Amino acid sequence: MASPQGSGAPLEFGGPLGAAALMLLLPATMFHLLLVARSGPARLLGPPPYLPGPEVLWSPQMLLLWFTWLGLQAALYLLPARKVAEGQELKDKSRLRYPINGNPIYDFFLGRELNPRIWSFDFKYFCELRPGLIGWVLINLALLMQEAELRGSPSLAMWLVNGFQLLYVGDALWHEEAVLTTMDITHDGFGFMLAFGDLAWVPFTYSLQAQFLLHHPQPLGLPMASVICLINAVGYYIFRGANSQKHTFRKNPSDPRVAGLETIPTATGRQLLVSGWWGVVRHPNYLGDLIMALAWSLPCGVSHLLPYFYLLYFTSLLVHREARDEQQCLRKYGLAWHEYCRRVPYRILPYVY
């Protein structure tokens, strides 16, 4: 059977059974986190204190509001006054891939089509950045305003969480073109994994720290807040530096900012960076991401595990994503990738992993 990645490619995410389990587990986990974040005990691993009835889960007004939000983002996406950038060339020379057969569960999870479009409206590219990421910021802001109503003013911890995550989302939107080279765009189809992840998991799960702080206020002094800001700044510096270096090199290897970096030639004609950020570890951007994730959780204190769910989840996600990327690079670059791994032995964390 053909997989969404093409004939002969190994199935990922545990194949059809793994995909089916994830489609049940991910929505259940999201609802669990939302319920326990507002409960008194706030136990990450314990059962939720109550289960809401259908009247709480279903609201025609909220459904209308959600479709209005998507429509607004779609209208902004289709505005003619916007920059147009070319994506990565695909293996079949920019022709979209349409597998003839496959497993319906696995295909639904990962997506049969790589780039589903209606005219110039690219569903995957639209969902990757706009409604979910911007919705995440708006949810955080709403929680900050609600805390101000409850307690007179937002807490310092709430300000830090909002500020850190606003910076992260703003960076993603400012460097929007860079998303065209990510695995989500070049490799994964647009199925349940990306659609649910972009539209539901990101805005409602990534705002977990702000939700926790609204219901469980945490004291935070200026000295500790300064340390947390420094941690976030270090993470952002690594994250932005690594991503900018990679994107600049992919666009123009002769750019003065990257022209002096050491590279390894490959049989595909492309070069692998083996110095700069990408000579420290194979995925320095992941390292920066994880340091920032830690900084987002620290304002919530250390009395509960729940605010650290994002850090735990994101660590497992990036380790799994790195393993998928390793397999793809090995198939694509062969001996050159073996040489790169010899030169850069650590994957994410220097001297550890």
Side-chain angles (χ1 to χ4, degrees):
M1 284 198 176
S3 72
Q5 283 70 41
S7 179
L11 296 179
E12 299 173 316
F13 298 97
L17 288 179
L22 285 171
M23 284 190 286
L24 296 174
L25 181 63
L26 291 175
T29 300
M30 185 184 74
F31 280 113
H32 171 78
L33 293 171
L34 294 175
L35 290 175
V36 298
R38 63 188 62 195
S39 70
R43 292 191 298 266
L44 175 61
L45 302 179
Y50 70 96
L51 293 177
E55 69 280 358
V56 177
L57 297 175
W58 168 252
S59 169
Q61 293 82 5
M62 291 301 101
L63 183 63
L64 178 61
L65 179 63
W66 176 240
F67 279 116
T68 303
W69 170 248
L70 288 181
L72 172 63
Q73 292 298 320
L76 294 174
Y77 174 77
L78 291 173
L79 284 177
R82 57 191 174 96
K83 181 180 178 180
V84 177
E86 292 185 359
Q88 290 287 96
E89 183 178 284
L90 304 179
K91 291 181 179 180
D92 49 14
K93 304 301 180 184
S94 297
R95 295 178 183 175
L96 300 181
R97 293 176 286 182
Y98 298 94
I100 301 302
N101 62 348
N103 184 283
I105 296 176
Y106 185 73
D107 289 348
F108 179 78
F109 179 74
L110 274 185
R112 291 289 297 271
E113 296 187 24
L114 184 66
N115 300 99
R117 282 186 165 208
I118 296 179
W119 294 296
S120 63
F121 191 93
D122 189 305
F123 287 92
K124 182 168 65 173
Y125 182 64
F126 166 72
C127 291
E128 189 76 11
L129 287 174
R130 287 170 174 77
L133 281 184
I134 300 174
W136 172 18
V137 170
L138 292 181
I139 290 173
N140 276 352
L141 181 60
L143 293 166
L144 182 146
M145 295 176 67
Q146 189 173 358
E147 186 183 51
E149 291 179 1
L150 289 174
R151 304 186 179 101
S153 64
S155 65
L156 179 57
M158 181 69 83
W159 276 117
L160 288 187
V161 167
N162 267 258
F164 293 162
Q165 296 180 353
L166 176 62
L167 172 65
Y168 188 80
V169 173
D171 178 90
L173 297 174
W174 183 262
H175 298 95
E176 182 178 10
E177 185 179 345
V179 78
L180 297 175
T181 62
T182 62
M183 183 184 293
D184 290 354
I185 298 296
T186 63
H187 177 74
D188 295 332
F190 187 62
F192 175 90
M193 181 180 72
L194 288 184
F196 175 80
D198 292 338
L199 300 178
W201 183 266
V202 167
F204 295 109
T205 304
Y206 286 18
S207 59
L208 186 63
Q209 287 94 352
Q211 296 180 53
F212 174 84
L213 288 172
L214 175 65
H215 300 283
H216 304 85
Q218 301 292 315
L220 182 63
L222 284 177
M224 187 59 188
S226 300
V227 172
I228 295 173
C229 287
L230 178 60
I231 294 173
N232 191 76
V234 170
Y236 180 74
Y237 177 73
I238 297 172
F239 171 81
R240 175 45 39 216
N243 278 327
S244 294
Q245 194 173 76
K246 176 181 67 173
H247 186 62
T248 300
F249 183 78
R250 282 178 170 174
K251 286 190 66 176
N252 179 19
S254 300
D255 190 296
R257 292 170 291 179
V258 295
L261 296 178
E262 189 178 355
T263 61
I264 296 175
T266 71
T268 65
R270 300 183 65 181
Q271 304 282 321
L272 295 176
L273 281 174
V274 74
S275 64
W277 286 111
W278 301 87
V280 179
V281 290
R282 297 179 212 165
H283 296 275
N285 51 338
Y286 291 0
L287 175 60
D289 242 329
L290 292 176
I291 294 173
M292 286 189 289
L294 174 63
W296 300 353
S297 301
L298 287 174
C300 300
V302 293
S303 60
H304 289 80
L305 183 62
L306 181 66
Y308 292 84
F309 171 82
Y310 176 81
L311 175 61
L312 299 173
Y313 151 76
F314 212 54
T315 299
S316 63
L317 173 72
L318 293 183
V319 168
H320 179 259
R321 191 182 184 93
E322 187 276 334
R324 294 177 66 206
D325 189 56
E326 289 275 326
Q327 292 301 315
Q328 292 180 39
C329 290
L330 181 60
R331 289 194 297 267
K332 188 174 182 179
Y333 301 122
L335 293 177
W337 186 254
H338 281 297
E339 174 62 17
Y340 175 68
C341 293
R342 186 189 69 82
R343 299 275 297 274
V344 186
Y346 298 103
R347 300 177 180 221
I348 299 176
L349 186 60
Y351 305 106
V352 177
Y353 178 76

